[in-house]
Amino acid sequence: QNCKDNKYIIPKENINMTTPKNSMELVGTAVLVFTIQTSISNGSSLAPLAIGTILMSIVFAGGPISGAHYNPAVSFAVTLRGGELTWAEMTSYWIAQIIGGFIGALIGGFISPTSVVVSMGSDATMAQAIISEVMYTFVLCLVVLCVATNSKVENNHYYGLAIGLVVLAGAITVGPISGGAFNPAVAFGLSVAGGFANFGYSVVVSVANLVGGAVAAVLFRVVLPEEFGLARGGTVGETTPFNA
């Protein structure tokens, strides 16, 4: 097999962060993490609302370009689901998302009074935090798969709203327990920009997020078996229209 045709090998163009898809993932993730950093460090009680609504906006903006994942766990779930996102493309998305998360956290930390990192609540246990992250990342990824990669709801206009509302609900519900990352790019971006603060917990959170994404992909195949193995054109993700 020609190396260029091997889906497990990352082509040079996939590593190039200036391609439209990678650029959108980088910028979108940066905007998301910037909003998280600034809204939380400024002590706003409306931080979950700010985070959820900016996610809605950038999902609608980037959907037709890259699929608007902005989250390695979402990219992982979409890849496991099957479609046009290969493992090599997923890896390039991950690189763009992690870099974007770091840039967003760095800029947010520069203009904010303090830097924030993903941390457990003072009264929470590690088990509670891990389960919280797995649960809401699972819900987030399942919603993405169901509203953005399901041929039964092609061309819908609510996908961004549905995705943003999950993050809003999760931040309010389990944010005080686990820190409410639901996204490895958020956890790593904030940690690295903060001088690798709480880095060990960021690793734990990221693993929990990927587990949640994997479970979502499995359940999607169970509840929508007719989608399994469906050949899809275009980018699998929050695309408009959802070309199946």
Side-chain angles (χ1 to χ4, degrees):
Q1 184 182 26
N2 191 312
C3 288
K4 292 190 297 182
D5 298 326
N6 191 329
K7 65 180 179 178
Y8 297 105
I9 295 177
I10 307 176
K12 290 182 179 179
E13 59 268 24
N14 284 45
I15 301 175
N16 182 2
M17 291 298 107
T18 63
T19 63
K21 291 182 179 182
N22 289 338
S23 295
M24 191 68 243
E25 287 298 309
L26 190 155
V27 172
T29 310
V31 170
L32 174 62
V33 179
F34 170 81
T35 303
I36 294 171
Q37 175 77 276
T38 52
S39 62
I40 295 176
S41 64
N42 286 321
S44 173
S45 61
L46 296 177
L49 182 61
I51 296 164
T53 52
I54 196 63
L55 181 58
M56 293 178 201
S57 298
I58 58 178
V59 163
F60 280 124
I65 300 170
S66 68
H69 298 176
Y70 312 137
N71 183 337
V74 169
S75 297
F76 186 48
V78 169
T79 303
L80 291 176
R81 173 239 183 270
E84 292 296 322
L85 196 66
T86 66
W87 291 98
E89 290 168 334
M90 182 200 75
T91 303
S92 71
Y93 270 33
W94 279 15
I95 295 170
Q97 291 156 358
I98 295 297
I99 293 173
F102 170 71
I103 292 174
L106 201 63
I107 298 173
F110 177 75
I111 68 170
S112 302
T114 58
S115 293
V116 299
V117 294
V118 177
S119 305
M120 285 193 304
S122 56
D123 297 326
T125 66
M126 181 62 75
Q128 291 171 331
I130 291 173
I131 292 172
S132 297
E133 287 292 320
V134 170
M135 177 61 71
Y136 261 96
T137 309
F138 158 74
V139 175
L140 172 62
C141 292
L142 183 63
V143 168
V144 169
L145 294 175
C146 288
V147 303
T149 75
N150 178 3
S151 60
K152 292 181 178 179
V153 293
E154 287 180 337
N155 301 313
N156 75 74
H157 299 289
Y158 56 76
Y159 63 96
L161 183 65
I163 293 164
L165 286 175
V166 172
V167 173
L168 171 60
I172 294 172
T173 305
V174 301
I177 298 172
S178 68
F182 322 133
N183 185 337
V186 170
F188 281 128
L190 293 173
S191 175
V192 174
F196 290 90
N198 219 15
F199 187 76
Y201 182 65
S202 297
V203 173
V204 172
V205 164
S206 297
V207 172
N209 298 155
L210 294 177
V211 169
V215 174
V218 171
L219 184 61
F220 180 82
R221 290 175 178 239
V222 171
V223 299
L224 284 164
E226 62 272 22
E227 293 287 324
F228 180 75
L230 186 65
R232 306 182 67 86
T235 299
V236 176
E238 299 82 39
T239 54
T240 304
F242 303 106
N243 296 322

